[in-house]
Amino acid sequence: MKRTFAMAAALAALLATGAAQAADHQVQMLNKGEKGTMVFQPDLIIAQPGDTVTFVPTDKSHDVQSIKDMIPEGATPFKGKPNEQVTITVDKEGVYGVKCLPHYPMGMVALIVVGKPVNLEQAKAVKQTGMAKKRFEALFAEVPAN
């Protein structure tokens, strides 16, 4: 009886741990994707606090970094090197703007939305140029209302 109870408790703990595990969102860095050239795919990531986002340098010459004033208050900025796989943990609710520095003028940007987009208006207010501006406008229009 004690053994059965212990096994049941261990199984319950294991199931609870599995349910609480964070998701890992894979993002490819591409020369050409579904939305054109020089893109992150997907370019809109919907995540929960504690999830990870892994940027995979599928094609060469890409990097990934956060955009100043486009991350939630208290979140840690990040910056990868060219051709480097980067994994970040998004633990603050809000909107995270990201870019590939060499291809930013061509619009290589992405948006990560973690939980409630608490800093959405602040992120929208950051000045963008060229194709980056157009792609961010489209991404902001897709952000779910929470």
Side-chain angles (χ1 to χ4, degrees):
M1 180 78 165
K2 288 181 181 179
R3 183 176 177 188
T4 303
F5 179 77
M7 288 176 59
L11 180 60
L14 181 63
L15 290 174
T17 301
Q21 286 184 341
D24 179 46
H25 305 269
Q26 298 281 314
V27 179
Q28 295 180 331
M29 297 184 271
L30 300 170
N31 293 339
K32 185 171 181 155
E34 295 170 2
K35 292 187 176 181
T37 59
M38 304 303 165
V39 294
F40 291 104
Q41 191 168 296
D43 59 359
L44 179 64
I45 300 94
I46 307 298
Q48 294 302 315
D51 286 359
T52 58
V53 180
T54 300
F55 294 90
V56 181
T58 308
D59 293 327
K60 293 186 178 187
S61 302
H62 299 293
D63 70 5
V64 63
Q65 60 184 270
S66 56
I67 298 175
K68 187 177 185 319
D69 299 325
M70 286 187 76
I71 61 173
E73 186 175 327
T76 304
F78 57 92
K79 181 178 182 178
K81 297 176 183 172
N83 306 315
E84 176 184 45
Q85 180 168 307
V86 174
T87 300
I88 61 167
T89 300
V90 289
D91 51 7
K92 303 287 183 190
E93 281 196 321
V95 173
Y96 295 69
V98 298
K99 66 182 176 182
C100 169
L101 184 59
H103 302 112
Y104 170 75
M106 300 173 76
M108 191 165 179
V109 297
L111 201 61
I112 305 168
V113 180
V114 180
K116 295 179 182 176
V118 295
N119 64 323
L120 181 60
E121 293 308 314
Q122 175 188 335
K124 285 181 178 181
V126 174
K127 185 178 179 181
Q128 308 292 339
T129 60
M131 283 298 297
K133 180 179 180 176
K134 290 179 184 180
R135 286 195 176 159
F136 269 128
E137 286 172 354
L139 291 170
F140 286 136
E142 294 181 48
V143 173
N146 283 355

